Amino acid sequence: MCIVTDSDDKYKGEIECLEHLESMHVEGIILCLSQETTDYSHLERIKKNHIPLVLFDRVAGSNFSSITINDESLAKQATLHLIDGGAKRIAFLGGPNQMRQTADRKHGYIEALHERGIAVRKELVKCDYISFNAGLSETLELLCLPEPPDAIIASHGLLAISSIQVVISKGLHVPEDVSIIGFMSDWGSGMSTPRMTFVKQNIKEIGTKAFRLLLDQINGDSQIQNLIVNARLEIRESTRKSII
């Protein structure tokens, strides 16, 4: 039997979900951390109680087995794609800075700018709470700058969809005025017009490997494994083609 719980992407909800699962004496847990989580004592308690635990997507240090994608290299590739399309003022919309996922994607973005000799502009980097409303307000702030961005990388689907809506609402065109790339699901990328260029995760492979790691732990394997699943950049209509 598989039990699914939802933390609503909140730390308190995450703790409540784990306590509920513990009370049900589950054999193991696969967990995506909330964006608010900075204290991992509840995970250490799970480990101390000998309940197998595997993290995916958002991870905590190296004390737990995990499955992630190649966040840093994909963010770098996405940024280089925007630069090759003529973008010079590329904004980055990320989640909370304490999330390793945000840090890795931001690092890839910065690496690409350095590689092409483009200065990192602090006013173009916004890392805060992940929500649709946050994406709206942050994109609006970016477009009101004296030198607004000509491209945006959004590290979450909610930020990507909200940013494209703001750009269009301001009478601008995507990708002619502002190119946009999102880290998001396949179905989510089709919700925008034009269709979003996006980093596509192999969700099936992530789920399969997470389950296999968990099953290995249930069967007595105590080795910590941190696996990386390769994702890829899907070029669609929200970014300009290479001019190089």
Side-chain angles (χ1 to χ4, degrees):
M1 180 175 66
C2 179
I3 302 168
V4 179
T5 62
D6 183 4
S7 71
D8 195 27
D9 213 4
K10 299 186 184 301
Y11 176 63
K12 182 179 179 181
E14 179 175 297
I15 291 177
E16 291 173 350
C17 287
L18 290 177
E19 288 176 345
H20 180 60
L21 293 172
E22 281 186 276
S23 71
M24 298 180 70
H25 304 289
V26 296
E27 292 183 277
I29 298 171
I30 298 174
L31 172 68
C32 176
L33 294 174
S34 85
Q35 63 178 306
E36 297 179 351
T37 302
T38 57
D39 179 357
Y40 307 122
S41 57
H42 58 308
L43 305 186
E44 295 292 349
R45 187 190 70 246
I46 293 288
K47 187 175 183 178
K48 185 177 180 180
N49 290 338
H50 306 291
I51 301 174
L53 174 66
V54 174
L55 305 180
F56 74 97
D57 198 29
R58 301 173 188 166
V59 299
S62 57
N63 292 331
F64 307 94
S65 290
S66 64
I67 309 287
T68 57
I69 65 168
N70 47 328
D71 283 304
E72 186 173 324
S73 63
L74 261 299
K76 180 177 180 179
Q77 183 183 346
T79 306
L80 291 174
H81 169 67
L82 293 171
I83 295 171
D84 290 344
K88 300 183 183 302
R89 300 182 306 280
I90 303 171
F92 178 86
L93 296 182
N97 278 308
Q98 78 271 6
M99 286 171 51
R100 199 183 90 181
Q101 183 185 77
T102 298
D104 287 346
R105 292 174 182 179
K106 184 165 59 174
H107 191 260
Y109 156 80
I110 291 172
E111 270 195 339
L113 295 182
H114 285 165
E115 186 174 298
R116 294 299 176 84
I118 299 175
V120 179
R121 298 170 58 173
K122 291 183 179 180
E123 70 271 21
L124 295 181
V125 179
K126 294 188 173 293
C127 296
D128 203 348
Y129 201 82
I130 297 171
S131 71
F132 187 81
N133 286 337
L136 293 176
S137 60
E138 289 173 354
T139 304
L140 185 59
E141 289 174 9
L142 288 169
L143 295 181
C144 290
L145 290 172
E147 292 183 286
D150 52 13
I152 296 172
I153 293 180
S155 68
H156 191 279
L158 287 175
L159 301 176
I161 296 296
S162 56
S163 66
I164 200 169
Q165 289 193 11
V166 172
V167 169
I168 292 172
S169 73
K170 299 296 287 184
L172 301 172
H173 297 90
V174 179
E176 293 82 3
D177 299 311
V178 183
S179 289
I180 300 176
I181 289 178
F183 279 74
M184 58 198 308
S185 63
D186 199 350
W187 68 266
S189 67
M191 293 175 62
S192 65
T193 304
R195 293 191 309 158
M196 187 83 67
T197 294
F198 72 111
V199 173
K200 181 177 182 178
Q201 303 183 46
N202 190 333
I203 298 173
K204 183 177 180 180
E205 184 179 358
I206 291 172
T208 300
K209 288 189 173 181
F211 177 77
R212 285 176 178 167
L213 277 183
L214 186 67
L215 188 59
D216 287 344
Q217 288 189 33
I218 292 172
N219 290 330
D221 186 354
S222 60
Q223 181 182 0
I224 294 173
Q225 297 187 59
N226 303 117
L227 306 182
I228 296 176
V229 172
N230 287 325
R232 68 177 185 271
L233 184 64
E234 291 277 337
I235 310 298
R236 294 191 172 173
E237 291 85 43
S238 69
T239 54
R240 295 184 290 273
K241 295 180 179 180
S242 174
I243 60 175
I244 296 177

